[in-house]
Amino acid sequence: MAGRIPEQFIDEVRNSVDIVDVISQYVSLEKKGKDYLGLCPFHQEKTPSFTVNEGKQFFKCFGCGKGGNVFKFLMYQDHLTFPESVRKVAELAHLHMPDGYGETVKPISPLKKMYRQATEFYQHILLTTKVGEKALEYAKKRELTSDLLEHFKVGYAPDNDTILLTYLRQEGYTDAELRESGLFVESQDGQLFDRFRDRLMFPLGDESGYTVGFSGRRISNDKTIAKYMNSPETKIFNKSKLLFHFAEAKKAARSEKHLILYEGYMDVIAAYKAGIQSGVASMGTSLTTEQVYMLRRITPNILINYDGDPPGIHAAERATKLFGQVQGFNLGIIVLPENLDPDEYVKKYGVEKYQAEVAGALSSMDFLLERLANQYNLHNDREKLGYITASVQMIAGLNDPVAADLYLDKLARQTGVTRESLKVTFVRERRKLQRAKNHQQAYQASKSLPIDQHSEPKEEQAGIDLETRNPALDRLLYLFIHSDEARDYLLSQQFLFPDERYAKLAEFWLKYHQTHEGAEVTGFIDFIPEELQGIIINMEMTSMPPDYSKRELDDQLRALEKSKIDQQLNDLLNQLKDAQRKQDNSLELEIAQKVIALRRKKF
């Protein structure tokens, strides 16, 4: 329900934004006809099923079933209550909340609050205290300016066993909460000590920008101590589902038109210093499928700039193949010379040359073919044949025929082999791949997969089961809401929706229409109970013509009546079978007469 915020203000907020603009901050949308399509942010999918209708201001995922208006999207995406969602959209629309409704701040979990306070505490020590002077000097030597330290919220953990522990205890946290945080280590006798000591502290944020972990960089020359130390995994920190600088980079991606993936946070910071704000990093760990889907939701244009040394190149090759498993990426690979990482390259050659390297990124196929060529001696005919075969196999995996032709031409020029002969091999390899794909699909289709007891039925999440949906009901409800004349006609026929949910929606609409001037369905969705919203969303996201005739209304009413009779007939036939089983002749005759009467009524 709408809550205590005035409905007039809620309507004003909703009408002040475009749902496409809001969702585009979270999902890369592509216009297809009248709708926008993208990958759903609420579940993993390879083929876009997330649809946004700009005209109706609704979204709907036909994969997981979630749908609604702009408020509902933010409630799902940022785990907000309805009033919190209204407040957030109001901020996007530069509207001030009415008096008495804008003061409260969404409470965050105790762990996130603790990490926020720890971030501020460490930064305070670095920038304003004597104990932080050594670390600040180290930061300046690493060319971390005041602006960079502020943007990335860098701090310092002093060489003190209990300084953070003492501070957070003073803030009222219990030892149980402190143990859960991962900020401390516990001795055998149960005492707590600060996990991070004498380290430059880099906060790790989640998708919404809340600090959920830290990476600490050693500033001493003591090589017996690990150079980097990361927070352990906790309830709020899972490194396989986190990308450093992601909350800020996804905003920059709208202007820079891409995201750049780095190996570590110092590379992201070096890129930021070079004017590139769209950098993210997987924190030196192998890229995960979850992170790939995170990136795909924001933009298909991804550049990979790992270190230029052999391990970095190998990691870039692995990442390229991982991206290749998900459709829709426009991938580029930046390979820096002299085995340099981005931080080293910027320091040695400057900002302009680095930006030129970004602009000259290789395509993923060019990069993989170069990597492949390095494995062969192309001056030896036997090895050259091996390279050609392996290259054609790789090119055959491309879905784009234009790209395949382009790389066959390149391969022909590189090896001195005619394009026609390469094409013969290419066609043979494509057939092999297609046969393998057909066999895999047949195998998957033949497998009897158990139902996942933990997964929600798709349409059940949207508040309506597909099996119980009736097209006639949807059409009549659509006209009941969108046409005053159709509604008046249905009421004059004393029509009542036979489904209790639809009947409630009709009743709700009558009340809403009477009490709201210029009533629209986008506002109505916030007026009705959540369990009924799915019916409206499904109805609105189905293409229905606004035009109608009284004849169509009568036909739909007859269709409903026939459907009702069919259900009654089905019930009677089941009763008839039961009577026959019990050999109850009198009951059998009675039910048979009812069946005959109903069939006559139907036709």
Side-chain angles (χ1 to χ4, degrees), residues 91-219:
E91 290 172 359
L92 294 173
H94 305 292
L95 296 174
H96 295 290
M97 294 291 289
D99 292 340
Y101 297 96
E103 294 83 356
T104 58
V105 178
K106 181 198 173 191
I108 61 175
S109 71
L111 271 183
K112 288 186 179 181
K113 182 181 178 183
M114 187 189 302
Y115 268 91
R116 183 180 66 189
Q117 290 178 297
T119 301
E120 294 169 352
F121 181 70
Y122 284 142
Q123 191 167 36
H124 169 75
I125 291 175
L126 176 67
L127 299 178
T128 65
T129 69
K130 190 169 184 63
V131 75
E133 288 179 356
K134 176 180 65 170
L136 190 58
E137 184 179 346
Y138 171 84
K140 288 179 179 177
K141 285 181 181 177
R142 294 297 302 268
E143 298 184 12
L144 294 173
T145 64
S146 298
D147 289 342
L148 289 173
L149 293 175
E150 183 177 344
H151 176 78
F152 290 95
K153 301 177 183 176
V154 182
Y156 174 60
D159 192 8
N160 184 306
D161 288 349
T162 59
I163 188 168
L164 180 65
L165 179 68
T166 302
Y167 168 68
L168 290 177
R169 277 177 173 164
Q170 290 173 351
E171 292 297 312
Y173 292 100
T174 66
D175 278 10
E177 291 172 326
L178 297 172
R179 284 187 177 89
E180 186 183 28
S181 71
L183 290 169
F184 306 96
V185 293
E186 187 174 2
S187 65
Q188 289 184 346
D189 60 359
Q191 293 188 64
L192 296 178
F193 299 94
D194 291 6
R195 179 180 295 276
F196 298 98
R197 297 187 293 274
D198 198 24
R199 291 181 180 274
L200 210 59
M201 300 295 287
F202 294 84
L204 310 177
D206 64 10
E207 188 168 349
S208 299
Y210 290 109
T211 301
V212 293
F214 286 105
S215 184
R217 207 292 185 189
R218 181 192 75 208
I219 66 171

Side-chain angles (χ1 to χ4, degrees), residues 470-497:
N470 186 315
L473 278 179
D474 283 345
R475 178 60 174 162
L476 288 172
L477 182 62
Y478 179 86
L479 294 173
F480 190 91
I481 289 175
H482 288 278
S483 169
D484 292 343
E485 290 181 0
R487 182 170 57 256
D488 290 342
Y489 180 75
L490 292 173
L491 292 173
S492 71
Q493 298 298 306
Q494 297 184 328
F495 168 70
L496 296 175
F497 285 93

